[in-house]
């Protein structure tokens, strides 16, 4: 049986996240493979892949914060918000100084209401938004609450009438960096879109733990999978169980809450094995996902 655990992959530009999952399925010899948080084809960087039982962690990992490096091109826009779309010239932006760009980024920091890009995977009437957009009927998506903890402009570089801004963003799950680029361009009156996007961190997993697909292909001693218990301990608060508590939780039982955590907690047996993710609510800890037979 393939091991249960996580693979942190440094996704290259070009493949979709589904393409990466398909490649890992072939390498691992199992169909029980999934990913936490989609990356667009042009984007690179951290893609967290779950194998076997670890696929049950992925929905909870998706909700963690993320960090990106990106380049926003000001002075034009596209219908997708990134370099894969059709470019529409905007107002020349080369005259903008870094202070103006930083002010626009600051206005998009904190809890904000963000309108997702029309070319996105959000479902509208049972169909993906990007499908409707490709058919010439892009939907008007309602704004959604997201949090941008930091939006830092590192440098600006003129390129003719355009201005490229190198930025770093730390944000909540569900934040579209393409939408931040679009909204920055609209605020500055120039238009804006992404020319580069690299995810550097998902929750506790960053590029220092990531492997390229070529490295995985050449691995001689099996895939470098982060074991299930270690992966859960890195991502969630830990609760140590007694033998009796571990047996009860393994059979779907509830335990008294002990710490008042608002998010998932990883519950471990005395031998260190992961029993379940639990959610504390109403004075009880109920299992969200159980990982033992």
């Amino acid at each position: 049986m393939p091991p249960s655990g996580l693979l942190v992959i440094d996704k290259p530009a070009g493949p979709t996240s589904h393409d990466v999952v398909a490649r890992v399925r072939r390498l691992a010899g199992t169909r029980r493979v999934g990913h936490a948080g989609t990356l667009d084809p042009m984007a690179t960087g951290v893609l967290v892949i779950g194998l076997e039982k670890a696929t049950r962690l992925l929905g909870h990992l998706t909700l963690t914060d993320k960090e990106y490096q990106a380049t926003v091109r000001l002075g034009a826009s596209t219908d997708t918000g990134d370099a894969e779309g059709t470019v529409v010239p905007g107002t020349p932006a080369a005259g903008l100084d870094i202070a103006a760009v930083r002010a626009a980024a600051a206005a998009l920091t904190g809890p904000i209401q963000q309108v997702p890009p029309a070319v996105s995977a959000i479902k509208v009437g049972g169909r993906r938004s990007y499908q409707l957009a490709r058919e010439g009927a892009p939907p008007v998506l309602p704004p959604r609450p997201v949090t941008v903890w930091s939006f830092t402009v590192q440098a600006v570089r003129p390129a003719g009438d355009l201005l490229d801004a190198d930025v770093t963003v730390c944000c909540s799950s569900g934040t579209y960096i393409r939408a931040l680029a679009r909204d920055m361009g609209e605020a500055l009156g120039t238009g804006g879109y992404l020319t580069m996007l690299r995810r550097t961190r998902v929750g506790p997993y960053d590029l220092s733990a990531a492997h390229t697909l070529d490295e995985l292909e050449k691995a001689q001693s099996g895939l470098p999978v982060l074991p299930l218990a270690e992966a859960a301990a890195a991502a969630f608060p830990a609760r140590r169980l007694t033998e009796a508590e571990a047996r009860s939780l393994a059979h779907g039982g509830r335990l008294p809450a002990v710490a008042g955590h608002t998010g998932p907690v990883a519950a471990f047996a005395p031998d260190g094995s992961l029993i379940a993710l639990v959610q504390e609510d109403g004075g009880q800890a109920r299992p969200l996902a159980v990982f033992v037979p």
Side-chain angles (χ1 to χ4, degrees):
M1 288 289 293
S4 293
L6 297 181
L7 273 175
V8 183
I9 291 179
D10 185 352
K11 176 192 166 301
T16 66
S17 298
H18 182 74
D19 292 336
V20 175
V21 167
R23 196 160 167 185
V24 173
R25 281 174 176 159
R26 178 176 59 81
L27 292 172
T30 177
R31 293 201 57 78
R32 292 187 67 188
V33 178
H35 64 84
T38 300
L39 278 177
D40 292 335
M42 70 160 276
T44 67
V46 173
L47 185 66
V48 179
I49 301 287
L51 281 73
E52 295 294 330
K53 292 180 182 179
T55 56
R56 305 182 72 187
L57 291 176
L58 297 177
H60 305 288
L61 286 174
T62 300
L63 302 178
T64 58
D65 62 313
K66 300 171 177 66
E67 191 171 81
Y68 298 86
Q69 293 175 349
T71 298
V72 179
R73 176 156 291 173
L74 299 168
S77 59
T78 72
D79 54 352
T80 60
D82 60 25
E84 296 190 327
T86 301
V87 177
V88 179
T91 301
L96 291 173
D97 61 18
I98 194 169
V101 181
R102 284 176 171 163
L108 293 167
T109 304
I112 63 173
Q113 292 288 323
Q114 184 184 71
V115 177
V119 180
S120 65
I122 294 172
K123 284 192 173 181
V124 180
R127 301 188 65 199
R128 300 291 185 185
S129 179
Y130 66 78
Q131 294 173 323
L132 298 172
R134 288 170 182 167
E135 292 171 3
V140 178
L141 299 173
R144 305 190 304 177
V146 298
T147 301
V148 179
W149 284 290
S150 63
F151 189 177
T152 306
V153 180
Q154 307 288 358
V156 295
R157 294 173 281 110
D161 287 339
L162 305 172
L163 186 74
D164 285 345
D166 298 324
V167 303
T168 302
V169 180
C170 182
C171 57
S172 66
S173 174
T175 305
Y176 284 90
I177 310 303
R178 287 183 287 143
L180 289 179
R182 175 202 66 201
D183 294 345
M184 172 184 273
E186 289 180 355
L188 292 167
T190 62
Y193 68 97
L194 287 183
T195 60
M196 187 279 288
L197 180 64
R198 182 162 177 77
R199 188 157 66 191
T200 54
R201 182 174 59 81
V202 174
Y205 309 111
D206 60 20
L207 286 170
S208 67
H211 304 271
T212 67
L213 290 173
D214 286 343
E215 288 172 345
L216 297 183
E217 291 279 2
K218 297 174 183 176
Q220 298 295 316
S221 55
L223 296 177
V225 175
L226 187 66
L228 184 61
E230 190 176 338
F236 306 104
R239 176 173 176 174
R240 304 296 169 178
L241 306 173
T242 65
E243 290 284 3
E245 289 174 331
R247 284 194 300 272
S248 174
L249 193 59
H251 290 87
R254 298 191 177 198
L255 303 176
V258 294
H261 292 289
T262 57
V265 174
F268 295 91
D271 65 1
S273 60
L274 177 65
I275 300 298
L277 286 185
V278 300
Q279 178 78 52
E280 296 187 356
D281 183 33
Q284 289 188 317
R286 61 179 178 83
L288 295 172
V290 177
F291 296 95
V292 295

